Every structure is written in structure tokens, then in C-alpha cells.
């Protein structure tokens, strides 16, 4: 026996056919698994491509929806703006209508006031016309039935004669409001200055002169009496009766100091201070 017969050989034993078959099957399974995995991986890798192709469609839909929303918002804004403009126009129209109504009422009130004032003036004018007509008739009757006034004028003496002489001497001079002579007078200025010649001090204005003496009837006038137009205490004109149905007075700026018959402008009343 060889001295090495008891030592085992170091060479690997040969694999049997069955072992090789098993290993081949395992390897085939592994490779099959890898192939399936690869195919699966390839399928999964291709899927994002499909999703990427769908993105433009989604983006277009979102853009269309955004555009529609913007149009709706713009239409709503336009509607609200139009409504606001209509409301503002209605408010302005209402305000203008209110102002026009107030103006119309004001004008109507002014027109009514003017009409009432015109009616009062017309009534006053009619009343004065009636009084003048009555006085003119009375004066005419007195002139036709009595010569006492004419006689008293021709025989006037003393203070009355001096007053009459003075006022007749002023006929033709100018009428100036506020004037008391010697070159111009107003109605009460002439009367005051005339009676000052005989030492009688009269008030300055016609309203006060119409109550300065004793009230006398127009049917009982004497030369030197003060005639007045308007009511006693509020007379607007005065003159001096000089007899024969005549008076002298500072009439107005266009006439100046004149001598006129009572019928020219019949007075309302008279006072006597002499």
C-alpha cells in the first residue's frame, strides 16, 4: 500500500447530472424573474409617458375654466357698475326734481305776493279816485252856490293874507325833496316856510302837519288852511288853500311849485292853524 493511500484527495468531486439540472432550473427561474421584473419595470417606465401626454389636455381645460370665470366676473362687475350708474342718475334726478319743486313753490309764492300787492294798490287807487270824484263834485257845488270862499280870499287879511302872498310868490320854483327854500321846496317844506313868515312853527313832514291844527271840513275851507292828501297822521302830500277853489303846493319834481284848482287833485282833508 502506498504511504499516501490514507490521505483524501483534494480534488472536488464531480457534480452529478441531477445537481446540474437543479442549478440550471434555479438559474432559469432567476432569469425568468428578472425578465418579468424587467418587463414590469419597462411597463412602469412607459406609464409616465402616457401621463405626460395627458397634461396639455388638463392645462387647456383649466385655462378655459379660468377664462370663463374671468368673463363671468367681468360681466358681474359691468352689471354692478351699470346698476350703480343708474342709481346715481336716479338720485341726481330726484334731487333736481326736489330743487325744481322748491323753486316753483317759491316763484308761486312770489307771484301770489305780487298779485296781492297789486290788488291792494288798485283798491287804494280806486278809493282815492272815488274820494277825488266826491270832493270835486262838492267843490263844484260850492263854487256854483256860494261866493263866500271867493269873498274871503279877496278880503283875507293879517296872517292868512301873508301866508297866501308868500306861497303865490314861490310859484314856478323847483321841487326838490328835503328843500325848504328859498329857491326850491318840497311840499311840506313850502308849507312850513310859509307859516314861519307869520310866526307859526309847524312840524317838518306832511304826516305831522296833517294833525298840527284843527280838522276842518272841505266844504268849510278858508284861505290859509292846510290841505293834505292821505289820512290824517299819515298824509303823503300837503299844500295851502288860497281861496277861489285854488291851492298852491310844491307838487312834484316835474311840476315844481304850482297853483291848481281843487278839482285837479282833490285833497283828503284839511287843518286850520290860523
Amino acid at each position: 500500500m502506498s504511504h499516501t493511500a490514507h490521505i483524501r484527495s483534494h480534488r472536488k468531486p464531480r457534480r452529478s447530472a441531477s445537481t446540474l439540472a437543479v442549478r440550471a432550473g434555479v438559474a432559469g427561474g432567476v432569469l425568468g424573474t428578472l425578465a418579468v421584473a424587467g418587463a414590469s419595470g419597462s411597463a412602469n417606465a412607459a406609464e409616465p409617458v402616457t401621463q405626460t401626454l395627458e397634461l396639455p389636455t388638463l392645462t387647456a381645460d383649466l385655462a378655459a375654466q379660468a377664462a370663463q370665470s374671468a368673463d363671468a366676473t367681468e360681466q358681474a362687475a359691468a352689471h354692478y357698475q351699470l346698476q350703480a350708474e343708474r342709481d346715481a342718475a336716479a338720485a341726481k334726478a330726484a334731487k333736481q326734481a326736489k330743487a325744481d319743486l322748491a323753486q316753483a313753490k317759491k316763484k308761486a309764492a312770489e307771484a301770489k305776493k305780487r298779485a296781492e300787492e297789486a290788488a291792494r294798490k288798485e283798491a287804494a287807487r280806486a278809493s282815492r279816485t272815488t274820494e277825488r270824484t266826491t270832493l270835486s263834485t262838492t267843490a263844484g257845488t260850492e263854487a256854483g252856490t256860494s261866493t263866500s270862499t271867493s269873498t274871503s280870499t279877496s278880503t283875507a287879511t293879517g296872517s292868512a293874507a301873508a301866508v297866501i302872498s308868500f306861497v303865490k310868490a314861490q310859484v314856478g320854483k323847483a321841487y326838490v325833496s328835503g328843500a325848504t327854500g328859498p329857491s326850491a321846496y318840497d311840499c311840506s317844506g313850502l308849507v312850513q316856510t310859509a307859516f314861519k313868515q307869520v310866526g307859526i312853527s309847524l312840524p317838518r313832514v306832511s304826516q305831522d302837519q296833517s294833525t298840527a291844527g284843527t280838522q276842518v271840513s272841505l266844504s268849510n275851507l278858508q284861505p290859509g288852511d292846510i290841505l293834505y292828501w292821505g289820512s290824517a297822521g299819515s298824509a303823503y302830500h300837503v299844500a295851502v288853500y288860497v281861496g277861489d277853489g285854488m291851492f298852491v303846493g310844491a307838487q312834484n319834481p316835474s311840476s315844481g311849485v304850482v297853483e291848481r284848482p281843487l278839482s285837479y287833485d282833490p285833497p283828503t282833508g284839511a287843518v286850520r292853524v290860523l
Side-chain angles (χ1 to χ4, degrees):
M1 177 181 288
S2 176
H3 70 275
T4 60
H6 67 281
I7 301 172
R8 295 182 178 181
S9 178
H10 291 284
R11 287 192 297 180
K12 295 180 181 180
R14 291 186 178 183
R15 296 179 179 87
S16 63
S18 62
T19 301
L20 291 174
V22 170
R23 289 184 177 180
V26 171
V30 171
L31 291 174
T33 301
L34 291 175
V36 172
S40 176
S42 297
N44 290 334
E47 184 175 346
V49 174
T50 302
Q51 293 176 351
T52 302
L53 292 175
E54 292 176 355
L55 284 177
T57 302
L58 295 174
T59 302
D61 291 342
L62 291 174
Q65 292 177 1
Q68 291 177 357
S69 177
D71 290 342
T73 302
E74 184 177 356
Q75 290 178 1
H79 172 74
Y80 291 141
Q81 181 178 0
L82 179 60
Q83 187 62 39
E85 291 175 353
R86 288 176 177 174
D87 293 343
K92 183 178 180 181
K95 183 178 180 180
Q96 185 63 41
K98 184 177 181 181
D100 292 343
L101 179 61
Q103 185 67 18
K105 288 182 177 179
K106 181 179 179 181
K107 289 183 178 180
E110 292 175 351
K112 182 180 179 181
K113 183 177 180 181
R114 288 194 297 269
E116 291 176 348
E117 182 65 21
R120 284 195 296 269
K121 288 182 178 180
E122 181 62 23
R125 188 191 66 79
S127 178
R128 288 195 299 269
T129 300
T130 301
E131 291 176 355
R132 289 175 179 178
T133 301
T134 302
L135 291 171
S136 178
T137 301
T138 302
T141 301
E142 291 177 351
T145 59
S146 175
T147 59
S148 60
T149 300
S150 177
T151 301
S152 62
T153 299
S154 61
T155 59
T157 58
S159 298
V163 169
I164 293 170
S165 176
F166 178 84
V167 295
K168 284 189 175 184
Q170 311 311 309
V171 171
K173 292 185 177 181
Y175 177 103
V176 176
S177 179
T180 58
S183 59
Y185 301 88
D186 64 9
C187 65
S188 57
L190 175 63
V191 173
Q192 183 188 48
T193 303
F195 281 86
K196 187 181 292 184
Q197 308 304 310
V198 294
I200 296 176
S201 179
L202 292 178
R204 174 63 184 85
V205 296
S206 58
Q207 291 91 336
D208 296 333
Q209 289 179 2
S210 65
T211 59
T214 302
Q215 295 287 327
V216 295
S217 170
L218 293 177
S219 61
N220 192 32
L221 291 176
Q222 293 181 4
D225 287 345
I226 299 173
L227 306 175
Y228 63 83
W229 285 255
S231 59
S234 59
Y236 58 86
H237 184 62
V238 289
V240 176
Y241 180 65
V242 295
D244 287 333
M246 305 290 289
F247 70 87
V248 173
Q251 200 69 8
N252 52 55
S254 61
S255 301
V257 180
V258 295
E259 183 174 2
R260 294 283 188 271
L262 292 176
S263 60
Y264 170 79
D265 187 13
T268 304
V271 292
R272 186 169 296 158
V273 297
L274 295 176

